[in-house]
Amino acid sequence: MDSGRIRKLLEKVKSGALPVDEALHGLRALPYDDCGYAKLDVHRSIRTGFPEVVFCQGKTCEQAVEIVKRLAGHHAKVLATRVAPDVAERIAAAVAGCTYHDTPRLLVVDRPVKKAQKAARKGKYVIVLCAGTADLPVAEEAAITAESMGSRVERAYDVGVAGLHRLLDQKERIMRANVLIVVAGMEGALPSVVGGMVSCQVIAVPTSVGYGASFGGLAALLAMLNSCVAGVAVMNIDNGFGAGYFAHLVNR
Amino acid sequence: MDSGRIRKLLEKVKSGALPVDEALHGLRALPYDDCGYAKLDVHRSIRTGFPEVVFCQGKTCEQAVEIVKRLAGHHAKVLATRVAPDVAERIAAAVAGCTYHDTPRLLVVDRPVKKAQKAARKGKYVIVLCAGTADLPVAEEAAITAESMGSRVERAYDVGVAGLHRLLDQKERIMRANVLIVVAGMEGALPSVVGGMVSCQVIAVPTSVGYGASFGGLAALLAMLNSCVAGVAVMNIDNGFGAGYFAHLVNR
Amino acid sequence: MDSGRIRKLLEKVKSGALPVDEALHGLRALPYDDCGYAKLDVHRSIRTGFPEVVFCQGKTCEQAVEIVKRLAGHHAKVLATRVAPDVAERIAAAVAGCTYHDTPRLLVVDRPVKKAQKAARKGKYVIVLCAGTADLPVAEEAAITAESMGSRVERAYDVGVAGLHRLLDQKERIMRANVLIVVAGMEGALPSVVGGMVSCQVIAVPTSVGYGASFGGLAALLAMLNSCVAGVAVMNIDNGFGAGYFAHLVNR
Amino acid sequence: MDSGRIRKLLEKVKSGALPVDEALHGLRALPYDDCGYAKLDVHRSIRTGFPEVVFCQGKTCEQAVEIVKRLAGHHAKVLATRVAPDVAERIAAAVAGCTYHDTPRLLVVDRPVKKAQKAARKGKYVIVLCAGTADLPVAEEAAITAESMGSRVERAYDVGVAGLHRLLDQKERIMRANVLIVVAGMEGALPSVVGGMVSCQVIAVPTSVGYGASFGGLAALLAMLNSCVAGVAVMNIDNGFGAGYFAHLVNR
Amino acid sequence: MDSGRIRKLLEKVKSGALPVDEALHGLRALPYDDCGYAKLDVHRSIRTGFPEVVFCQGKTCEQAVEIVKRLAGHHAKVLATRVAPDVAERIAAAVAGCTYHDTPRLLVVDRPVKKAQKAARKGKYVIVLCAGTADLPVAEEAAITAESMGSRVERAYDVGVAGLHRLLDQKERIMRANVLIVVAGMEGALPSVVGGMVSCQVIAVPTSVGYGASFGGLAALLAMLNSCVAGVAVMNIDNGFGAGYFAHLVNR
Amino acid sequence: MDSGRIRKLLEKVKSGALPVDEALHGLRALPYDDCGYAKLDVHRSIRTGFPEVVFCQGKTCEQAVEIVKRLAGHHAKVLATRVAPDVAERIAAAVAGCTYHDTPRLLVVDRPVKKAQKAARKGKYVIVLCAGTADLPVAEEAAITAESMGSRVERAYDVGVAGLHRLLDQKERIMRANVLIVVAGMEGALPSVVGGMVSCQVIAVPTSVGYGASFGGLAALLAMLNSCVAGVAVMNIDNGFGAGYFAHLVNR
Amino acid sequence: MDSGRIRKLLEKVKSGALPVDEALHGLRALPYDDCGYAKLDVHRSIRTGFPEVVFCQGKTCEQAVEIVKRLAGHHAKVLATRVAPDVAERIAAAVAGCTYHDTPRLLVVDRPVKKAQKAARKGKYVIVLCAGTADLPVAEEAAITAESMGSRVERAYDVGVAGLHRLLDQKERIMRANVLIVVAGMEGALPSVVGGMVSCQVIAVPTSVGYGASFGGLAALLAMLNSCVAGVAVMNIDNGFGAGYFAHLVNR
Amino acid sequence: MDSGRIRKLLEKVKSGALPVDEALHGLRALPYDDCGYAKLDVHRSIRTGFPEVVFCQGKTCEQAVEIVKRLAGHHAKVLATRVAPDVAERIAAAVAGCTYHDTPRLLVVDRPVKKAQKAARKGKYVIVLCAGTADLPVAEEAAITAESMGSRVERAYDVGVAGLHRLLDQKERIMRANVLIVVAGMEGALPSVVGGMVSCQVIAVPTSVGYGASFGGLAALLAMLNSCVAGVAVMNIDNGFGAGYFAHLVNR
């Protein structure tokens, strides 16, 4: 709670315009919506610039529907991640304006993404790269998150290091980007290679794509953390949403 | 076996009131109920203050039913954890006075929990905090365990560190508690933050909520073990029961 | 900041006894002592009941001396852990009333421990058990911490599970304790065995004692986290201080 | 191939009783039965004292049936481990004299176990202990393996360290045993406690029973490897068969 | 190699101004300085906006001196990280304009840092937070790196979550920052707590500060990767340099 | 892009045979086939001697079919690995000349394997060894991969170290091989034993066969990496394809 | 405490030969020698057949000397493991009859090992195998332990699987042994290979010999736990003492 | 022992030219030189094409000197790896013709390397790449090993992926190589990038270069095992010798 608001309140108390009890109450007002099992942080968009995002994994269907419904009552735009298709259907039935993206299992409320994409065709952009086709769900989670927050997003998929010419062919689009999201599983080498080509930040996202000694994405995660290139920061395994969010903060 | 009992027995032997063979038998009497695949520790309530608790995971349905039935023959109150819904149904059919809590998959025998809760509304209390909605099953396992043992329990759910004001708003209830249970998955930061605010003990319970580099709760577990705050002790991942039990011991 | 203090302050502002600017300042006063590289939490003893403890590992000698000196200016009692002998010597030269315990490398300022121990000979006590002689440094860190905070402490050392009779011989002292600290390295079995004998809490401390597959205490840590006995909570590897602190909270 | 056999062969060659080509063939004769995807080591019973045992996990149903059938053609007794119920049924239809034990999923061919058990009621015995009811499948795999090899086997189940009196009550049977198999999951403390009571070997078998930080039996495995008691050796997680086999070697 | 340069070259070839062999050579020209054991990427400042940085760990003293000397011949500013004091002395003797920062073991060539800091006192800034005094070397590595690249940098040290008021007291400076670097060891909770308070990016740096189950920084690393707050990206353990570099890219 | 092609192109430009714009286009031509979610590296067979191989795990059925179809349009031979039976059926319906091997789940397009095998009966050969029957799927993946690339392949299955005579009996075939692939799960000892017998390279492939402390093939992987025999190199767990590919490169 | 002794005592009480208080004392007599930081289990030789062994790692020099001295007062033979040379010297100065073996850092008190070895030249023997020269310290720890307990011990060193003929050459000695100890680092393959050749038990000891992915002996440990051969049990990494002790129990 | 030799021997026995006892002896003759703690496999050069290599780590100085001396008595060329400088000096004093390479700590006996290198300037070659200057010791171990075995070796050092142009500049030399050794620490991305450019095998060697989450080379090891490029096989961390040996086998 910032000092400006405290000063105003104190001055009202001094002038008698505000009784002590009300002032006390005002200083402790609840900036969230409590539905028992969840306290919706409706104050977050003021504090951090974007509404609370609903992480649906581990929540019951009922909880997910209720939480999205309540947030949609406070905000024009709501984002829900890791939404199973049947839960998405239930939310769409209860809340108007839903778009469900099934590859990244992402649900966006009251958000004509395509129009936004058109509007965002010009200006600074985020570019999302991914190493292989199996990394698509994570890459799309990142791309649509950034788009739904308002960023222009470009995509360059299946540009893994096994065929460098596919990557080098995208070099100009990559070098003109304002910020990069690089998604890769297996050995996770792509961020290092790309990072050496550009002067902007690289947000690296390891995926759980692979088998054997990939240990659910651990190999890619460690590789990215140990990147010999400066300017690379790393997200949790499969955290496309986080990368899209972070990239938008840089890009806006 | 304590020396008081040995002395009495020896004196009876000396006086001839007890034949040697009977004394020998008495010194070796079985304080448990043996049903072959399990030896029920019916002596435990005398020794540790609470009957043996039935951990149902890994037991067959038949074994679970039989064990609960036998314990219910010895004790007025029986607790069974990790009970699948169908097993709970089978137990309820065989044993009178069962209440099944489906969120934490906990079964309490012969225990009018609600009445106990009313009685316990006053006095020292345990408070159970959890970081997110997905941590509820573990938090409820802790809360109901402590309640069914006789403690007054308060709850403050979804108060994770991402929105500190939600937590700070509960500050008074938290600071007045006699002991805290703090349940969190993902990065497991909540116990450290809460621990710096209070003068009582914090029992931290990591949950397996998360994905990728949470490695089934390992990230939260390590974070809690490394808490920079003194006064924090840690339970196994998802061990809500253990936390409720430990908290009751402090609170009684 | 609790509402009681806010209410008083607001009433003074209303009555004109306190100018707005001073009230604002009062609401934002620094309850810590800033020496650049460290912000000493001198407010902590009010908040959590005990002064901030100085963890010396990773601090330069100069920093350790300065921090202990400053805290000793605010509090009658200061505790510093993981103090190397040469650093202890430097602190003792700069601050009056130091006692240095070299087995646990613990430094206590202005605190006649022996007298306190005498005074604490009666009443509720913490008992510290350790499995082997090599666990002594951690056990003593726990014992002296609890003592210097004001608890009566008993010790029962080298009572590992390999010779159960050594442990069973201490049974009465153990069962009469108010809270147990159980310190063990290697397979870390002692807390489970002890936990089945008592009705109070067990604070388990794994140590890094061992070799090979003990992996620096990991084996003992995992064993304790997986204890089949209810009523056991676990500290970080070698964290004797934390156990002593937690035990005192229970015991006071 | 031992020198005695070579000498005989060479003497036959010298005397002309054996042509060089036949001798060469004899020196290279196949002491196994080749069915393409498997080379059955029918020579093993001569070499190691017991026929090859069929580990069915990872084999197709067809392969399992064929292998057991072929081995049963060479030996009076065949043991198959990790046999799924439907595979057991298929084997029983194809091979005479099968007994299937469903708890340990073990199949014994041409072996009247009960009669053997009766015969083995006297003399030196293996005792199998397990900590909890959920450890039964592994304990029974060990017990039946040793029995089917010819050892007398005693059982003492659910004697975990949480209620020491249950264990101590079995002390005489345990101390009279020739060799111990101790099966435990969770913290795996039982072998250390038992090992301190006896003068014979303890074969410790960690099980995957547990959750959270038990990491599929890793916690119990590490605990057993780090046992502070001499005379304990460890098997792979859930390897009841191996323990039974090893114990029989000691016991015979 | 960008298409603009290829086009120009092709046009010169067409016009005959450039012989084919020379054009071929030009297309393959070496944009680095080769000293045998190292190929100095002198082209990097054009490509990525900053000269190659010398990571001195694992290099012999001779190699470090030679590499810094050669880079200083190409660039006005050179940065060397993980420089041991004696190596720094040797470099300073060989290259003019060195400043050595001993806490982060960082060497900056030809760079009046204090003047730059003065100039950068106004405008957008990076703020570096650290949880404890022992995290200072990593925090300073981050701060000086960003400063030497040209960013204004603020510092707020020892603001760990154990005493939230120390952190909240810095709230205004933190909220006004353009980008945050948050450095923490042990449980690594600080980035999550800070991340919930701000609308800008948080670059989280785990440190190896801690003991026991911190496993050399692994606990903090996992905590940060699993942050429940959006807008957090993570660097390798102790990688202050990388954080400073990344933050400057965002800030410029 | 090799210098020979650049020289030719430059000479055409010089002679005026090629306009600058076309030359520019030619230098940047796409040597891949882009189907949105995948960029097929149709240039790879020129660069690395074999067409791109389709790794089907993690791809949707639609993607797998489309990618194989497109590659089959460019190349006479296509290899797809980790193909589920139903996906294989869909591909076979869409592309002519498919052979599906169900044990290794490998699909080969337009490739009469048996004829090739016949042709390859003579000359240098790869030999594939596996330790047990459960390792067959990986061993066959290796064998068929090498065969479909054109190598003669021999097989020696179920020759694990538990019965050395089964292995020694194959000694001549093994010693005459040009390169060995050794596939083993569990303790992964076979490559070390075989490696000491031969003068050629051993390509070791750990499999996920095993249970408990095999940790999904980790035990075998570590064993092979630590082989005390020189001349052993290791593939990822279960990577039969990679071993077959590598072996063919050595053998051709 | 066995029932035979209780019965005798009870009968003495009954006959009046033993007063109640003395009987009580007798039932609780301390079967250990308490020197404060250690409780010497002088009763162990009766209970388990061999005196307590002193594990010197982690004990101060003073503690080690005192403990050995006290045990030597109770027993004719004392074994101390992991004894640093300077500690051994100190013990030898204080206790008569010490022999120090510097390769395994083992100290034996009052024990003419060579004479015992001569006496033990005939009859059943333990054979100790090791894979390489660097495994010698662990192998010798095992061998001397078994010898000093009274077993005949044979040695076959440097018989690793890389040169099978070195191992096969020892086949007769190995096959005639009563029990095997097999010591190996790196990939730890030796126990599996040897185990397939013999009909007796194999006690496998992984060593920390190796580098890189041996991870301090973890690779060898996992390999041995996953041995495909029945009849293999495993000790902790570098635990030669434990293997020697276990082997003697089998051999006696 | 191959059948050709057996046949000859048998024929001599048949003809009476060889007495049975001598034949038996011949069949069991020791193809190694036994010096107690080591059995030197002097037969290996016949069996595998190269003399036994002495791995000096973990051996005492005396053992290393003796072993090299004995091998030098059997072979014209001896290789010793991981030789500390002082041990190298001792060996050089005892054995004629030593060359010691201090960067890779490799000792070669009786081997004019430079002359060999000259001779090997033409023809097929191995190329050794390394990512950074700190990887040099491992890279040189690989290069000198292959050279001393007789291969022509090229070097391309410091060509890490952070500056792709440095790598691409070596493309022709790389593509013309017969086999590649690629050495890299940190994220270990180089083998994947190089592997996509060539049609020959890549032998990838992870190094322990790095810090934090590199975990002693684990990150690089996992990355290389998960390479998305076919034709890559992996060695143990820092195993330059193994890579050089394997590469020579391919190259000869």
Side-chain angles (χ1 to χ4, degrees), chain E residues 129-154:
Chain E
L129 282 71
C130 81
T133 303
D135 300 317
L136 239 85
V138 178
E140 276 298 295
E141 193 183 71
I144 296 174
T145 296
E147 276 176 352
S148 70
M149 290 178 78
S151 272
R152 173 180 162 201
V153 175
E154 297 280 318

Side-chain angles (χ1 to χ4, degrees), chain F residues 166-186:
Chain F
R166 295 182 299 196
L167 175 65
L168 297 176
D169 195 66
Q170 312 289 332
K171 207 173 163 180
E172 273 176 77
R173 278 170 76 213
I174 292 173
M175 292 185 72
R176 287 210 203 98
N178 193 36
V179 55
L180 276 78
I181 295 172
V182 183
V183 179
M186 299 176 122

Side-chain angles (χ1 to χ4, degrees), chain C residues 160-164 167-168 186-189 192-193 195-197 210-215 218-219 222-229, chain D residues 160-164 167-168 186-189 192-193 195-197 210-215 218-219 222-229:
Chain C
V161 299
L164 267 189
L167 175 65
L168 296 176
M186 298 176 121
E187 81 272 63
S192 292
V193 171
M197 291 160 46
Y211 62 92
S214 91
F215 297 123
L218 179 62
L222 292 181
M224 292 174 181
L225 286 166
N226 284 285
S227 178
C228 57
V229 175
Chain D
V161 298
L164 268 189
L167 174 65
L168 296 176
M186 298 176 123
E187 81 272 62
S192 291
V193 171
M197 291 160 46
Y211 62 93
S214 92
F215 296 123
L218 179 62
L222 292 182
M224 291 175 182
L225 285 167
N226 285 285
S227 178
C228 57
V229 176

Side-chain angles (χ1 to χ4, degrees), chain E:
Chain E
M1 192 154 285
D2 59 292
S3 59
R5 280 186 57 201
I6 298 178
R7 177 183 292 274
K8 265 191 207 155
L9 199 140
L10 291 172
E11 274 162 1
K12 279 194 194 160
V13 171
K14 195 187 174 187
S15 69
L18 194 69
V20 164
D21 276 340
E22 270 179 50
L24 180 59
H25 183 80
L27 280 166
R28 309 193 62 243
L30 300 185
Y32 52 83
D33 184 356
D34 197 334
C35 56
Y37 48 80
K39 295 183 174 43
L40 305 177
D41 189 351
V42 297
H43 179 254
R44 185 190 299 259
S45 70
I46 301 158
R47 204 168 71 243
T48 70
F50 197 76
E52 189 171 20
V53 173
V54 189
F55 177 69
C56 289
Q57 183 182 303
K59 294 198 173 70
T60 66
C61 189
E62 287 66 32
Q63 293 170 341
V65 173
E66 180 67 19
I67 290 172
V68 173
K69 215 159 78 180
R70 290 215 187 189
L71 284 177
H74 289 281
H75 304 286
K77 192 186 305 183
V78 178
L79 209 64
T81 65
R82 312 227 159 191
V83 188
D86 57 314
V87 175
E89 224 168 283
R90 289 274 300 277
I91 296 176
V95 182
C98 289
T99 312
Y100 182 61
H101 304 267
D102 59 352
T103 300
R105 299 191 301 146
L106 203 67
L107 185 138
V108 188
V109 179
D110 206 358
R111 180 81 184 91
V113 173
K114 274 168 205 169
K115 212 163 71 182
Q117 281 178 318
K118 247 179 261 170
R121 283 265 155 80
K122 291 163 196 169
K124 293 191 301 174
Y125 62 87
V126 176
I127 190 163
V128 182
L129 282 71
C130 81
T133 303
D135 300 317
L136 239 85
V138 178
E140 276 298 295
E141 193 183 71
I144 296 174
T145 296
E147 276 176 352
S148 70
M149 290 178 78
S151 272
R152 173 180 162 201
V153 175
E154 297 280 318
R155 288 154 171 90
Y157 289 169
D158 198 24
V159 293
V161 298
L164 269 189
H165 59 295
R166 296 183 297 196
L167 174 65
L168 297 176
D169 194 66
Q170 312 289 333
K171 207 174 164 179
E172 274 176 76
R173 278 170 77 213
I174 293 172
M175 293 185 71
R176 287 211 203 96
N178 194 36
V179 56
L180 275 78
I181 294 172
V182 184
V183 178
M186 297 177 123
E187 81 271 61
L190 192 55
S192 292
V193 172
V194 170
M197 291 160 44
V198 299
S199 62
C200 72
Q201 305 99 305
V202 174
I203 302 160
V205 190
T207 71
S208 52
V209 169
Y211 63 93
S214 92
F215 297 123
L218 179 62
L221 171 63
L222 292 181
M224 292 174 182
L225 286 167
N226 284 285
S227 178
C228 58
V229 176
V232 176
V234 184
M235 309 305 294
N236 191 3
I237 297 164
D238 291 335
N239 189 5
F241 160 70
Y245 190 101
F246 193 98
H248 171 73
L249 295 185
V250 176
N251 194 52
R252 81 197 151 168

Side-chain angles (χ1 to χ4, degrees), chain H residues 30-48:
Chain H
L30 299 185
Y32 52 82
D33 184 356
D34 198 332
C35 57
Y37 48 80
K39 293 184 177 42
L40 305 176
D41 189 351
V42 297
H43 179 256
R44 184 189 299 256
S45 69
I46 299 158
R47 205 170 69 245
T48 69

